[in-house]
Amino acid sequence: MYLRETKRRNRDGSVVSYLALAHNERDPESGTPRARILYNLGRADRVDRAALGRLVDSVGRFLDPEASRAGEVEAAGVPPVVDARPMGTSWVADQLWQRLGIATALGEAVAGGRVNAAAVERVIFAMVANRLSAEPLSKRAGTRWVAERVFIDGLEAMSDDDCYRAMDRFGDVVGEVQRRVFFSVANLLNLEVDLLFFDSTSTYWETETGDAPADGDDLAGLADDEDGDGDVAAEAVEAAVRTWGRSKDHRPDLPQVVIGMAVTREGIPVRLWTFPGDTSDQKLIRRVKDDLRDWQLGRVIWVLDRGFTSEQNRRYLQRAGGGYIMGEKLRGASSEAAAALGRQGRYRTVAGNLRVKEVRVDDGAGRDRFVVCHNPEAAERDAAVRAAIVARLEDAIADSDGLSARKRAELAGALKTKPGYNRFLRTTPNGYLRVDRAAVRRDAHYDGKYLLRTSDESLTAGDIAEGYKALYEAERGWRDLKTGIDLRPVFHHKPQRIEAHVQLCWLALLLIRVAEHATGDTWRNLRAELDRLHLVTMATNDGHLAQRGELTPGQRDILTALELPTPPRIFDFTPADSAP
């Protein structure tokens, strides 16, 4: 059944069309199909089109909606879509990758021998782009992600072997790539490297056993005095060896590696290091200092947290004109810190509600400046937390006087396992448990305070306090590496691939920070907007056409802020004789 149109020419030469609902029937004698008119609709120019529309709707209710729409699209001449995948995030990341000189640095570093440098560079970028996605995957799962779920310019597919070979080659040249990328980014973005912020963390590996000591020597290189300066502890050897150590991820049951990161005051990661899982902060800081000194970055002020505050570390950082700003433990055993806190002085307000005062402890040639920082809001929080701890402690020991001496000792042992209780619990000579009121008063003296020490004489007390607060950028980097970029879980075993995996995450963090710095927005928001841009492949009569969608205003704003060009409209055309 179909709508039949017949035409008749009038004497004056005009043509009139008539519409009818017809049905073809085959003549039983001749076998020739003939049209049988079921209903005459009259002249086409006078037909009730609204009635025809209602007829179409009533018929469509009995048909497959998808088939009906497909028929409408085909009738309208719109080619069917054979593939559609997000391209916005990967395309922007690729443009930044090229603009920051990472592609050039990586391609030139891995070139040589029978290595296809261009292919290695594309595979490494694909692994970095996957770290930037909303769902970072393993290297093996990433191969399907590239082939089926995302558009990577210049890479249609890759195998897991391609990934592992690229990681091995990347691991061979990672130091050179880091150096070239840093100077390219520093020159392009005019980075300020007078202050470098350093912090370390650890990450665990999904394996039940640790690695054997390197070369069977129990990592003796960590105790070798390689430069003959007598500072044995300074000779930390960078090596991604999984072993047990103090886990900052609260997974002491799994072997780990220690990772160090240096960032600028803008939060741009300068470099990442990997060390054996039992390397202490005091050892790795020497290697970090020496590595960056080789980059001609020796005359910088290092900003570090309280884990690095040892005299040997401080003097090592002062070599070649360097300096430091370090957090000092308030409740530690340092006599200098106690003297600094005990000095009288007047606070002055700097940024916001932060109050600072500078004190001098001694007048020696190697003297340090101390800055006492006080935050009134933090002081209120500290007081409230201490009051809650003391109240719970009082409840815990309220009826302890009636217990036997043995039971009281057991209770005291249990309470002292909790650091909060242990600070304020005392035992009388007769074995009774009491709240140490003197300890409570001493602790109140530290409310809202933190202590900084520096070797630099040019910075003001306010600059020192603000500089230390910017150490938050390094801590934010760890948070993004572990929760957004998914540094873990990791299953690699070869030290070279462990190092490569960490450095892939560093490149991803570098792209994120550059994008955030230029746009003033978070990567999560940028990615959500960019993922709306798709590359659509359509099957035309002439072949397959790959075309991007229309840019949204938000996407145009991102490209403008990043100073990137508009993506081309057409990305690929495969003629019909070669289309799949």
Side-chain angles (χ1 to χ4, degrees), residues 11-12 18 46 62 73 99-100 111 119 132 147 163 174 226 252 255 270 302 333 346 363 434 468 472 519 525 557:
R11 290 182 180 181
D12 59 1
Y18 295 88
R46 299 177 182 175
F62 295 95
V73 170
R99 181 185 168 206
L100 297 176
L132 297 173
C163 295
V174 66
E226 295 180 356
V270 172
W302 290 83
R346 178 175 297 179
D363 297 323
R434 296 290 185 267
Y468 188 77
Y472 165 78
T519 61
N525 292 338
D557 291 342

Side-chain angles (χ1 to χ4, degrees), residues 158-297:
M158 64 181 184
S159 66
D160 51 350
D161 287 338
D162 292 334
C163 295
Y164 296 137
R165 283 193 292 266
M167 292 179 69
D168 291 343
R169 183 57 180 159
F170 181 42
D172 290 337
V173 298
V174 66
E176 176 63 16
V177 172
Q178 287 176 325
R179 185 187 65 82
R180 295 187 57 171
V181 168
F182 168 73
F183 284 107
S184 175
V185 173
N187 292 332
L188 185 63
L189 302 183
N190 295 320
L191 296 182
E192 297 183 14
V193 293
D194 55 333
L195 290 179
L196 284 181
F197 303 83
F198 181 81
D199 197 9
S200 66
T201 188
S202 62
T203 188
Y204 54 85
W205 252 245
E206 299 292 341
T207 180
E208 296 180 356
T209 59
D211 294 334
D215 299 329
D217 60 358
D218 199 22
L219 299 178
L222 289 176
D224 291 340
D225 187 10
E226 295 180 356
D227 56 11
D229 62 357
D231 190 0
V232 174
E235 313 300 342
V237 178
E238 182 174 350
V241 179
R242 303 171 303 174
T243 186
W244 282 271
R246 186 177 68 85
S247 176
K248 298 183 179 181
D249 292 323
H250 307 290
R251 291 302 304 269
D253 57 315
L254 294 176
Q256 64 178 21
V257 297
V258 172
I259 305 174
M261 177 169 59
V263 304
T264 66
R265 66 171 74 208
E266 296 90 354
I268 306 298
V270 172
R271 181 172 175 178
L272 260 69
W273 292 261
T274 54
F275 293 89
D278 56 355
T279 305
S280 66
D281 289 343
Q282 288 79 4
K283 291 180 180 179
L284 62 89
I285 188 61
R286 275 87 159 179
R287 178 59 182 270
V288 172
K289 162 74 174 179
D290 292 344
D291 283 351
L292 293 188
R293 183 180 58 196
D294 293 340
W295 288 7
Q296 306 301 315
L297 295 180

Side-chain angles (χ1 to χ4, degrees), residues 365-578:
R367 68 185 187 275
D368 286 336
R369 299 167 61 197
F370 287 87
V371 176
V372 182
C373 305
H374 179 259
N375 186 327
E377 293 182 0
E380 294 179 2
R381 290 194 298 269
D382 292 344
V385 170
R386 182 177 57 255
I389 293 175
V390 171
R392 290 196 297 269
L393 179 59
E394 289 175 338
D395 291 341
I397 64 176
D399 301 324
S400 62
D401 288 357
L403 300 176
S404 63
R406 179 179 177 181
K407 290 294 183 181
R408 284 198 303 270
E410 292 177 355
L411 176 60
L415 293 175
K416 288 182 179 181
T417 60
K418 301 178 181 180
Y421 291 160
N422 187 42
R423 287 161 53 190
F424 307 124
L425 178 66
R426 71 181 180 90
T427 304
T428 68
N430 294 328
Y432 295 107
L433 305 182
R434 296 290 185 267
V435 173
D436 192 340
R437 301 297 173 182
V440 173
R441 289 191 295 271
R442 287 194 302 270
D443 191 78
H445 182 63
Y446 302 122
D447 286 353
K449 295 179 182 178
Y450 57 93
L451 180 64
L452 306 178
R453 69 188 301 163
T454 180
S455 62
D456 187 81
E457 295 290 340
S458 63
L459 297 175
T460 67
D463 291 337
I464 295 170
E466 286 295 300
Y468 188 77
K469 285 177 63 177
L471 188 61
Y472 165 78
E473 290 294 340
E475 298 171 353
R476 187 166 71 99
W478 292 131
R479 191 160 53 249
D480 287 348
L481 278 171
K482 292 184 178 182
T483 61
I485 299 175
D486 281 7
L487 175 65
R488 60 172 190 249
V490 193
F491 299 91
H492 296 296
H493 173 73
K494 293 184 177 180
Q496 196 171 25
R497 290 179 185 171
I498 293 175
E499 169 76 5
H501 173 78
V502 172
Q503 300 306 324
L504 291 175
C505 295
W506 161 65
L507 290 174
L509 182 62
L510 174 62
L511 295 178
I512 287 176
R513 288 294 180 264
V514 170
E516 291 179 336
H517 181 68
T519 61
D521 202 352
T522 65
W523 177 249
R524 177 179 295 180
N525 292 338
L526 297 176
R527 183 177 59 203
E529 182 64 34
L530 293 172
D531 278 346
R532 298 172 59 189
L533 181 62
H534 282 63
L535 184 70
V536 179
T537 303
M538 297 173 289
T540 68
N541 294 331
D542 299 321
H544 283 186
L545 176 68
Q547 175 178 318
R548 68 162 172 83
E550 289 293 332
L551 294 176
T552 66
Q555 292 163 0
R556 293 187 181 277
D557 291 342
I558 293 174
L559 295 177
T560 300
L562 294 175
E563 300 180 358
L564 298 180
T566 301
R569 168 76 66 176
I570 306 300
F571 274 82
D572 186 37
F573 176 74
T574 305
D577 55 355
S578 60

Side-chain angles (χ1 to χ4, degrees), residues 59-101:
V59 173
R61 288 197 295 268
F62 295 95
L63 301 177
D64 180 9
E66 293 297 331
S68 177
R69 283 194 291 268
E72 294 174 4
V73 170
E74 184 177 358
V78 178
V81 175
V82 297
D83 188 31
R85 58 183 68 188
M87 62 157 290
T89 300
S90 61
W91 191 86
V92 167
D94 201 358
Q95 294 300 304
L96 289 176
W97 181 270
Q98 305 290 336
R99 181 185 168 206
L100 297 176

Side-chain angles (χ1 to χ4, degrees), residues 294-360:
D294 293 340
W295 288 7
Q296 306 301 315
L297 295 180
R299 298 183 63 85
V300 298
I301 298 175
W302 290 83
V303 184
L304 308 104
D305 67 12
R306 295 172 299 178
F308 301 95
T309 180
S310 69
E311 183 176 358
Q312 288 182 334
N313 281 346
R314 296 196 301 269
R315 301 306 166 228
Y316 199 86
L317 290 174
Q318 286 183 278
R319 295 182 180 182
Y324 56 82
I325 299 173
M326 287 185 176
E328 189 77 19
K329 296 180 180 179
L330 293 178
R331 300 173 178 85
S334 171
S335 59
E336 294 174 312
L341 289 172
R343 291 290 177 89
Q344 297 295 321
R346 178 175 297 179
Y347 285 102
R348 63 184 182 89
T349 303
V350 288
N353 62 349
L354 183 62
R355 304 165 63 229
V356 299
K357 68 175 180 180
E358 181 178 350
V359 296
R360 297 278 187 173

